[in-house]
Amino acid sequence: MIAAGTFTDLYTAVSQHYARQVQLLDGGRFEEYAATFTPDGAFQHTPGLPPATGHDGIVAELRAFHARFDNDPVRRRHWFGMVDLSPREDGAYDATFYALIVTVRPGVKEPSMGPSCVVHDVLVIEDGVVRNRSRQVDHDQLF
Ligand code: SDN
């Protein structure tokens, strides 16, 4: 929850939103991850894919993507950082940040890295709760 206040309050609330959200994603709790978006929220994790929309669409997309790991047990962690927030004219916020995906396989101490991403979010705050209206993930190798 965030009350009207300073930029520090806003930044703290957004940081908490991201921490909760990414741990839901990496924990495979896709319904709860989807619920961190607005009901009509749009999510595109890979350029070229059509955005998944709505909570059910986001869950379906994440299940389909993660099926590749059914016979390849991994722990994936999405590391977010360098969050840059700016207000939009419509009252929402643009957030641009870096994401690095770290993958660990059983018994292998050294993780593999990638993709390295830049993420463009539109965040809305309603009743003190931060939610994503949209998320578009760009991958650094595609330049
Ligand atoms: O939710 C995210 C994601 C994400 O879900 C990603 C997925 O696969 C599922 C927030 C911020 C960044 C990301 C990045 C990815 C990367 C994408 C493709 C892959 O790992 O190969």
Side-chain angles (χ1 to χ4, degrees):
M1 294 280 280
I2 175 176
T6 64
F7 182 75
T8 306
D9 295 329
L10 172 69
Y11 202 86
T12 303
V14 169
S15 300
Q16 171 61 21
H17 167 72
Y18 284 150
R20 172 79 43 84
Q21 188 183 52
V22 82
Q23 292 191 39
L24 293 171
L25 175 67
D26 292 337
R29 295 161 65 181
F30 300 141
E31 285 86 359
E32 290 162 274
Y33 176 85
T36 67
F37 285 68
T38 58
D40 61 348
F43 171 58
Q44 185 194 43
H45 62 71
T46 298
L49 286 183
T53 53
H55 292 175
D56 290 350
I58 292 170
V59 172
E61 175 53 37
L62 286 171
R63 288 214 180 106
F65 177 84
H66 287 85
R68 74 193 60 195
F69 301 120
D70 283 352
N71 297 310
D72 175 22
V74 290
R75 284 228 163 111
R76 272 166 54 100
R77 302 218 185 271
H78 292 64
W79 287 87
F80 289 2
M82 307 301 146
V83 178
D84 181 29
L85 270 184
S86 51
R88 294 163 56 96
E89 289 195 349
D90 63 2
Y93 293 88
D94 286 313
T96 301
F97 61 93
Y98 295 167
L100 178 64
I101 290 80
V102 173
T103 302
V104 174
R105 291 193 159 75
V108 181
K109 200 156 95 178
E110 292 75 22
S112 60
M113 304 277 190
S116 168
C117 306
V118 176
V119 186
H120 303 279
D121 281 359
V122 177
L123 301 174
V124 292
I125 303 175
E126 289 160 350
D127 300 327
V129 177
V130 182
R131 288 195 189 85
N132 277 66
R133 185 198 288 165
S134 64
R135 164 162 291 160
Q136 182 207 312
V137 182
D138 291 335
H139 293 202
D140 287 337
Q141 77 275 14
L142 301 175
F143 71 93

